[in-house]
Amino acid sequence: LSELLRKEWSPVPPVELSASALREEEMNRLYELRAQLLDWTVETGFLGFFDENAGRRYIYTRRLEVFEEVLPDLRGKRVLEIGCASGIVAALLAPSCQECIGIDVTETAVQFARQLHRELGIFNSRFFVADAHALPFPDRRFDVLVSTETFEHLLHPTKALEEFHRVLVPGGSFTLTTTTALTPSDLAVKL
Protein backbone atom coordinates (compact mmCIF):
# COMPACT_ATOMS: atom_id res chain seq x y z
CA LEU A 1 0.00 0.00 0.00
CA SER A 2 2.79 2.45 0.84
CA GLU A 3 4.38 1.72 -2.55
CA LEU A 4 1.03 2.42 -4.21
CA LEU A 5 0.88 5.77 -2.43
CA ARG A 6 4.44 6.69 -3.38
CA LYS A 7 3.73 6.11 -7.09
CA GLU A 8 0.94 8.70 -7.17
CA TRP A 9 3.10 11.75 -7.92
CA SER A 10 1.62 13.77 -10.75
CA PRO A 11 2.92 16.63 -12.86
CA VAL A 12 2.02 19.92 -11.21
CA PRO A 13 0.02 22.36 -13.39
CA PRO A 14 0.72 26.08 -13.03
CA VAL A 15 -1.64 28.10 -10.84
CA GLU A 16 -2.33 31.77 -11.45
CA LEU A 17 -3.70 33.68 -8.48
CA SER A 18 -4.90 37.23 -8.67
CA ALA A 19 -4.60 39.73 -5.86
CA SER A 20 -8.38 39.72 -5.57
CA ALA A 21 -10.30 37.23 -3.49
CA LEU A 22 -9.98 33.62 -4.58
CA ARG A 23 -12.86 32.13 -6.46
CA GLU A 24 -14.12 28.63 -5.77
CA GLU A 25 -12.60 27.36 -9.01
CA GLU A 26 -9.19 28.69 -8.00
CA MET A 27 -9.52 27.20 -4.52
CA ASN A 28 -10.38 23.82 -6.01
CA ARG A 29 -7.29 24.04 -8.21
CA LEU A 30 -5.22 24.76 -5.11
CA TYR A 31 -6.68 21.70 -3.40
CA GLU A 32 -5.79 19.65 -6.47
CA LEU A 33 -2.21 20.87 -6.16
CA ARG A 34 -2.21 20.08 -2.47
CA ALA A 35 -3.40 16.55 -3.20
CA GLN A 36 -0.61 16.14 -5.73
CA LEU A 37 2.13 17.56 -3.53
CA LEU A 38 1.31 17.20 0.15
CA ASP A 39 -1.15 14.35 0.59
CA TRP A 40 1.47 11.87 -0.61
CA THR A 41 4.16 12.85 1.90
CA VAL A 42 4.77 11.35 5.31
CA GLU A 43 4.49 14.53 7.37
CA THR A 44 1.40 16.06 5.80
CA GLY A 45 -0.67 13.36 4.19
CA PHE A 46 -1.79 9.81 3.71
CA LEU A 47 1.66 8.29 4.11
CA GLY A 48 1.41 9.22 7.79
CA PHE A 49 -0.25 5.84 8.25
CA PHE A 50 3.10 4.27 7.38
CA ASP A 51 5.39 6.76 9.10
CA GLU A 52 8.37 5.39 11.03
CA ASN A 53 7.64 8.00 13.73
CA ALA A 54 5.35 6.17 16.17
CA GLY A 55 3.79 9.43 17.38
CA ARG A 56 2.75 10.51 13.90
CA ARG A 57 1.53 7.01 13.02
CA TYR A 58 -0.52 6.95 16.24
CA ILE A 59 -2.23 10.23 15.36
CA TYR A 60 -3.53 8.83 12.08
CA THR A 61 -4.62 5.46 13.40
CA ARG A 62 -6.10 6.69 16.69
CA ARG A 63 -8.11 9.37 14.91
CA LEU A 64 -9.76 6.66 12.81
CA GLU A 65 -10.42 4.48 15.85
CA VAL A 66 -12.21 7.33 17.64
CA PHE A 67 -14.15 8.13 14.47
CA GLU A 68 -15.34 4.52 14.19
CA GLU A 69 -16.50 4.57 17.82
CA VAL A 70 -18.98 7.40 17.18
CA LEU A 71 -20.45 6.06 13.94
CA PRO A 72 -23.96 4.60 13.87
CA ASP A 73 -24.63 1.02 12.79
CA LEU A 74 -23.92 1.00 9.04
CA ARG A 75 -25.51 -2.35 8.12
CA GLY A 76 -27.75 -1.93 5.09
CA LYS A 77 -27.06 1.83 4.93
CA ARG A 78 -26.13 4.07 2.02
CA VAL A 79 -23.14 6.17 3.11
CA LEU A 80 -21.71 9.37 1.61
CA GLU A 81 -18.22 10.48 2.60
CA ILE A 82 -17.65 14.18 1.92
CA GLY A 83 -13.99 14.93 1.27
CA CYS A 84 -12.96 11.29 0.82
CA ALA A 85 -9.37 12.11 -0.15
CA SER A 86 -7.47 8.83 -0.63
CA GLY A 87 -10.40 6.58 0.28
CA ILE A 88 -8.90 5.27 3.52
CA VAL A 89 -11.97 6.14 5.63
CA ALA A 90 -14.24 4.69 2.94
CA ALA A 91 -12.18 1.48 3.07
CA LEU A 92 -13.08 1.22 6.75
CA LEU A 93 -16.77 1.97 6.18
CA ALA A 94 -17.53 0.00 3.01
CA PRO A 95 -17.37 -3.54 4.47
CA SER A 96 -20.11 -2.60 6.97
CA CYS A 97 -22.56 -0.80 4.68
CA GLN A 98 -24.69 -1.48 1.61
CA GLU A 99 -23.08 1.25 -0.48
CA CYS A 100 -20.30 3.77 0.16
CA ILE A 101 -19.91 6.83 -2.06
CA GLY A 102 -16.99 9.22 -1.68
CA ILE A 103 -16.60 12.69 -3.13
CA ASP A 104 -13.63 15.03 -3.28
CA VAL A 105 -12.80 18.17 -5.26
CA THR A 106 -9.48 16.71 -6.39
CA GLU A 107 -9.20 14.32 -9.32
CA THR A 108 -5.87 13.04 -7.98
CA ALA A 109 -7.46 11.87 -4.72
CA VAL A 110 -10.51 10.35 -6.42
CA GLN A 111 -8.35 8.39 -8.87
CA PHE A 112 -6.25 7.11 -6.00
CA ALA A 113 -9.32 6.12 -3.95
CA ARG A 114 -10.70 4.16 -6.91
CA GLN A 115 -7.39 2.36 -7.37
CA LEU A 116 -7.03 1.66 -3.65
CA HIS A 117 -10.49 0.08 -3.45
CA ARG A 118 -9.82 -2.04 -6.54
CA GLU A 119 -6.54 -3.22 -4.98
CA LEU A 120 -8.32 -4.03 -1.70
CA GLY A 121 -11.18 -5.82 -3.46
CA ILE A 122 -13.85 -3.44 -2.17
CA PHE A 123 -16.63 -3.32 -4.75
CA ASN A 124 -19.53 -1.55 -3.02
CA SER A 125 -17.77 1.84 -3.12
CA ARG A 126 -17.66 4.51 -5.82
CA PHE A 127 -15.82 7.83 -5.97
CA PHE A 128 -16.62 11.07 -7.77
CA VAL A 129 -15.09 14.48 -8.24
CA ALA A 130 -17.69 16.77 -6.71
CA ASP A 131 -18.02 19.91 -4.63
CA ALA A 132 -19.62 19.73 -1.17
CA HIS A 133 -21.44 22.99 -1.92
CA ALA A 134 -23.38 21.42 -4.83
CA LEU A 135 -23.77 17.68 -4.34
CA PRO A 136 -24.69 15.79 -7.53
CA PHE A 137 -27.20 13.51 -5.80
CA PRO A 138 -30.98 13.52 -5.47
CA ASP A 139 -32.75 14.57 -2.29
CA ARG A 140 -32.85 12.05 0.57
CA ARG A 141 -30.33 9.74 -1.10
CA PHE A 142 -28.14 8.74 1.88
CA ASP A 143 -28.77 7.25 5.31
CA VAL A 144 -25.38 8.32 6.72
CA LEU A 145 -23.05 11.22 5.89
CA VAL A 146 -19.49 11.36 7.18
CA SER A 147 -16.80 13.99 6.80
CA THR A 148 -13.38 13.94 8.44
CA GLU A 149 -11.09 16.96 8.46
CA THR A 150 -12.88 18.61 5.53
CA PHE A 151 -15.38 21.09 6.95
CA GLU A 152 -12.70 23.65 7.85
CA HIS A 153 -11.76 23.89 4.15
CA LEU A 154 -15.23 24.79 2.86
CA LEU A 155 -15.66 28.33 1.54
CA HIS A 156 -19.40 28.42 2.25
CA PRO A 157 -20.08 26.11 5.22
CA THR A 158 -23.74 27.12 5.55
CA LYS A 159 -24.41 26.31 1.89
CA ALA A 160 -22.62 22.97 2.30
CA LEU A 161 -24.67 22.12 5.41
CA GLU A 162 -27.85 22.83 3.44
CA GLU A 163 -26.66 20.38 0.78
CA PHE A 164 -25.82 17.77 3.41
CA HIS A 165 -29.31 18.12 4.86
CA ARG A 166 -30.86 17.87 1.39
CA VAL A 167 -29.25 14.52 0.51
CA LEU A 168 -29.70 12.97 3.98
CA VAL A 169 -32.84 10.95 4.66
CA PRO A 170 -35.03 12.23 7.51
CA GLY A 171 -33.64 10.82 10.73
CA GLY A 172 -30.32 10.03 9.06
CA SER A 173 -26.94 10.44 10.71
CA PHE A 174 -24.15 12.95 10.03
CA THR A 175 -20.75 12.47 11.66
CA LEU A 176 -18.27 15.31 11.30
CA THR A 177 -14.74 15.78 12.59
CA THR A 178 -12.68 18.91 12.15
CA THR A 179 -9.30 20.12 13.27
CA THR A 180 -8.35 22.54 16.02
CA ALA A 181 -5.57 25.09 15.97
CA LEU A 182 -3.37 23.24 18.46
CA THR A 183 -3.71 19.74 19.84
CA PRO A 184 -1.80 17.30 22.02
CA SER A 185 -1.08 15.51 18.75
CA ASP A 186 1.35 18.27 17.83
CA LEU A 187 3.40 17.47 20.92
CA ALA A 188 3.25 13.73 20.24
CA VAL A 189 4.66 14.25 16.73
CA LYS A 190 7.53 16.34 18.05
CA LEU A 191 8.36 13.68 20.65
Side-chain angles (χ1 to χ4, degrees):
L1 182 57
S2 62
E3 185 60 30
L4 178 66
L5 284 163
R6 292 177 199 282
K7 289 181 180 178
E8 286 301 310
W9 286 98
S10 302
V12 179
V15 174
E16 297 176 21
L17 296 176
S18 63
S20 63
L22 292 172
R23 294 175 301 161
E24 285 185 39
E25 179 181 311
E26 291 168 326
M27 283 300 296
N28 290 345
R29 287 183 66 211
L30 284 175
Y31 281 116
E32 179 66 43
L33 284 173
R34 181 190 186 281
Q36 292 175 6
L37 294 173
L38 299 178
D39 287 347
W40 316 109
T41 66
V42 170
E43 291 189 4
T44 60
F46 312 131
L47 287 178
F49 288 100
F50 311 101
D51 196 318
E52 292 178 9
N53 178 311
R56 197 175 291 122
R57 197 171 54 247
Y58 174 80
I59 292 165
Y60 285 92
T61 56
R62 183 61 185 139
R63 181 177 58 118
L64 289 178
E65 290 170 355
V66 170
F67 180 69
E68 284 185 296
E69 290 171 8
V70 299
L71 287 174
D73 181 5
L74 299 178
R75 286 178 290 190
K77 303 286 172 71
R78 296 166 298 168
V79 177
L80 173 63
E81 183 185 5
I82 299 152
C84 66
S86 64
I88 290 175
V89 171
L92 294 173
L93 304 178
S96 300
C97 64
Q98 173 188 338
E99 173 186 45
C100 187
I101 305 292
I103 66 153
D104 202 283
V105 295
T106 62
E107 180 68 34
T108 299
V110 167
Q111 286 178 5
F112 180 83
R114 289 173 180 160
Q115 183 178 350
L116 175 67
H117 282 240
R118 277 193 306 273
E119 296 277 333
L120 295 175
I122 300 171
F123 301 110
N124 67 329
S125 58
R126 292 182 293 151
F127 299 93
F128 302 97
V129 175
D131 190 325
H133 302 95
L135 296 172
F137 305 108
D139 296 356
R140 301 177 176 188
R141 169 70 170 82
F142 298 97
D143 305 296
V144 176
L145 269 63
V146 298
S147 183
T148 62
E149 318 307 311
T150 300
F151 197 73
E152 67 273 15
H153 299 284
L154 299 178
L155 295 175
H156 309 288
T158 303
K159 183 177 179 183
L161 285 172
E162 289 170 357
E163 278 293 279
F164 301 168
H165 184 261
R166 181 184 66 76
V167 300
L168 190 62
V169 299
S173 172
F174 176 41
T175 303
L176 167 78
T177 68
T178 189
T179 60
T180 60
L182 183 64
T183 69
S185 300
D186 297 322
L187 178 60
V189 168
K190 288 182 173 104
L191 291 175

